[in-house]
């Protein structure tokens, strides 16, 4: 009776392990940034962040994306300051060379950081989607050999 319960439990585990699979994340551009979806359900930024941080495959690129976005935000704020400096010098009839160079430089570097952040975010999502396409990292497969018949874990 004990072996029957064991075989039944292993059979149920095999059925559930073959049906377990996560769903891919899709990204669409929106008015205020990217919009994330799993099937037709819209995901919030917190949900996507949690999913990416739990995924061993996508975590590194997701972390780099967040750091690059923070750097881009810093340069965006510096660009705002240099633009205010430019407008101030324009009103007071002071030289504009320094503020123009500062505004152009911080704007360019900020755009580079945001582009790199977007690329890393895309790579993280693609890595995550590739990993869920593979399903689980192990499968129970029926085995029959000289040692007998049973289930084996295949990695």
């Amino acid at each position: 009776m004990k072996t029957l319960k064991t075989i039944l439990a292993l059979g149920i585990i095999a059925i559930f392990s073959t049906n377990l699979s996560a769903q891919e994340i899709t990204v669409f551009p929106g008015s205020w940034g990217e919009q994330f979806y799993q099937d037709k359900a819209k995901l919030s930024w917190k949900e996507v962040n949690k999913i990416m941080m739990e995924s061993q495959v996508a975590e590194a690129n997701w972390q780099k994306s967040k750091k690059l976005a923070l750097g881009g935000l810093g340069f965006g704020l510096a660009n705002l300051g240099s633009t205010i400096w430019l407008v101030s010098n324009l009103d007071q009839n002071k030289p504009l060379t320094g503020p123009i160079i500062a505004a152009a430089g911080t704007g360019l570097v900020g755009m580079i950081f945001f582009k790199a952040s977007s690329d890393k975010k895309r790579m993280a999502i693609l890595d995550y989607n590739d990993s869920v396409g593979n399903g689980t990292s192990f499968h129970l497969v029926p085995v029959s050999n000289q040692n007998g018949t049973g289930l084996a874990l295949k990695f």
Side-chain angles (χ1 to χ4, degrees), residues 10 15 30 32 53 55 69 86 92 111 116 129 142:
L10 288 174
I15 289 171
W32 301 103
M53 295 308 291
S55 172
L86 176 67
Q92 298 172 2
M111 287 189 305
N129 287 344

Side-chain angles (χ1 to χ4, degrees), residues 55-90:
S55 172
Q56 295 175 354
V57 179
E59 181 182 6
N61 280 331
W62 191 256
Q63 286 285 59
K64 287 178 187 176
S65 168
K66 289 185 345 184
K67 289 177 184 174
L68 288 168
L70 189 61
L73 182 62
F75 276 101
L77 290 174
N79 184 263
L80 177 65
S82 60
T83 304
I84 291 171
W85 181 31
L86 176 67
V87 171
S88 172
N89 279 5
L90 187 62

Side-chain angles (χ1 to χ4, degrees), residues 34 45 61-62 64-70 72 111-123:
E34 294 95 353
W45 177 260
N61 280 331
W62 191 256
K64 287 178 187 176
S65 168
K66 289 185 345 184
K67 289 177 184 174
L68 288 168
L70 189 61
M111 287 189 305
I112 291 170
F113 268 85
F114 279 123
K115 174 68 172 134
S117 172
S118 177
D119 290 345
K120 288 293 181 183
K121 192 181 304 177
R122 184 171 18 94
M123 288 303 298

Side-chain angles (χ1 to χ4, degrees), residues 13-23 132 134-139:
I13 291 171
I15 289 171
F16 284 119
S17 68
T18 58
N19 292 330
L20 292 177
S21 64
Q23 298 174 7
V132 296
N134 296 337
T136 59
S137 60
F138 66 92
H139 300 283

